[in-house]
Amino acid sequence: MDASTKQRLLQQEFEALCPCTGGVPWAPPELLIPASQAPEFLRRLAELDIALLYGVDLLELQPDHSVLVKDTRQFGKDRTLRLTEAARFVQSHLATSEAMLFSYDVSDDIPWSERASILREKPSLRAQLTSGNQVHVTVTGAAALQAAVDLVWHHVRLVQVSVVRGETLELTGDSGRYEQLEQTTAWIRDVLTGMPDGQFYLMGTMLPYTSPLPEDQWLLPSDLART
């Protein structure tokens, strides 16, 4: 699905829910919606593979239909965690906010060939890809954490992570995309405490994908993905 289609869907589904703001303008990539609809909006972003969320403004509607910004949250550098950070933040403010303004970036689905080129050419990865869509990456030390994040971001299902002359993490196909990322990064951090300069080997399979994504491919933990 291309970016314009994703944005059009969001506008069709959520524009009608926009609270009256007395003519205060908004335009993509921003969307102003009632706070009660914020969790559903974030789930829709996850489904459309829109994870580059930059910030959320908590708004209070004034009697003259203007808006007052009560709080703002900007999200961290790890793009794979932004939807989760936003969802946790939104949940904690649902009872005290009337409306929320989301800022985000919408992009086209990335085809297999382009993702393969990115993984091969990215200096921190230099991934090797086989004809069977297998992806192999070898990195040293803390770079393994970013490698895992980059692979998951580009829709690689991790199968195995190992450290040379050390342990191996076998990943099953039962866990969702977010849970795989969480399990893998936790394991790598644990290994790094004893082997900070260890050499890691990551293996996975590049998945074909088109949005809307199935729920197990959303970058949201299962408790936040449920309606």
Side-chain angles (χ1 to χ4, degrees):
M1 188 183 296
D2 60 35
S4 60
T5 301
K6 295 180 185 182
Q7 186 60 46
R8 185 168 64 252
L9 287 172
L10 290 174
Q11 291 176 14
Q12 290 172 348
E13 294 168 26
F14 292 96
E15 186 174 17
L17 302 172
C18 181
C20 177
T21 57
V24 174
W26 65 268
E30 293 185 336
L31 199 60
L32 176 66
I33 63 173
S36 62
Q37 294 296 326
E40 179 58 31
F41 176 70
L42 289 171
R43 286 190 286 268
R44 190 62 166 137
L45 290 184
E47 186 178 26
L48 294 175
D49 203 34
I50 300 171
L52 284 180
L53 189 67
Y54 297 112
V56 179
D57 292 340
L58 304 182
L59 307 177
E60 182 179 284
L61 305 181
Q62 302 300 295
D64 63 356
H65 301 299
S66 62
V67 293
L68 174 67
V69 179
K70 297 170 59 180
D71 195 7
T72 297
R73 173 66 61 90
Q74 301 296 317
F75 300 111
K77 293 181 179 180
D78 189 342
R79 55 190 177 179
T80 60
L81 299 179
R82 291 185 187 181
L83 281 173
T84 300
E85 290 178 27
R88 301 286 188 211
F89 178 70
V90 162
Q91 278 190 333
S92 65
H93 291 84
L94 284 177
T96 57
S97 299
E98 295 181 76
M100 297 184 183
L101 180 68
F102 292 87
S103 302
Y104 54 93
D105 190 22
V106 185
S107 59
D108 298 342
D109 289 346
I110 304 176
W112 191 98
S113 58
E114 187 175 337
R115 285 184 287 138
S117 295
I118 291 170
L119 295 179
R120 287 193 187 102
E121 296 169 10
K122 192 175 177 67
S124 59
L125 290 176
R126 297 298 185 192
Q128 296 181 348
L129 282 80
T130 71
S131 58
N133 293 342
Q134 281 198 335
V135 181
H136 304 266
V137 173
T138 302
V139 290
T140 301
L145 288 168
Q146 187 59 51
V149 167
D150 288 339
L151 291 175
V152 170
W153 178 263
H154 288 292
H155 292 271
V156 173
R157 176 175 286 281
L158 295 171
V159 175
Q160 184 186 87
V161 183
S162 59
V163 60
V164 176
R165 295 186 298 277
E167 302 172 70
T168 296
L169 172 67
E170 301 284 353
L171 295 144
T172 70
D174 298 333
S175 55
R177 187 179 175 203
Y178 182 89
E179 285 71 27
Q180 258 208 350
L181 174 66
E182 194 172 46
Q183 183 181 0
T184 302
T185 53
W187 185 86
I188 291 172
R189 287 191 182 97
D190 186 58
V191 171
L192 286 171
T193 59
M195 300 179 64
D197 297 318
Q199 189 175 48
F200 290 83
Y201 172 71
L202 297 89
M203 182 176 71
T205 302
M206 186 180 293
L207 303 175
Y209 84 98
T210 54
S211 54
L213 302 175
E215 190 173 307
D216 68 344
Q217 288 296 298
W218 296 2
L219 280 175
L220 277 177
S222 55
D223 64 312
L224 296 174
R226 297 189 190 102
T227 56

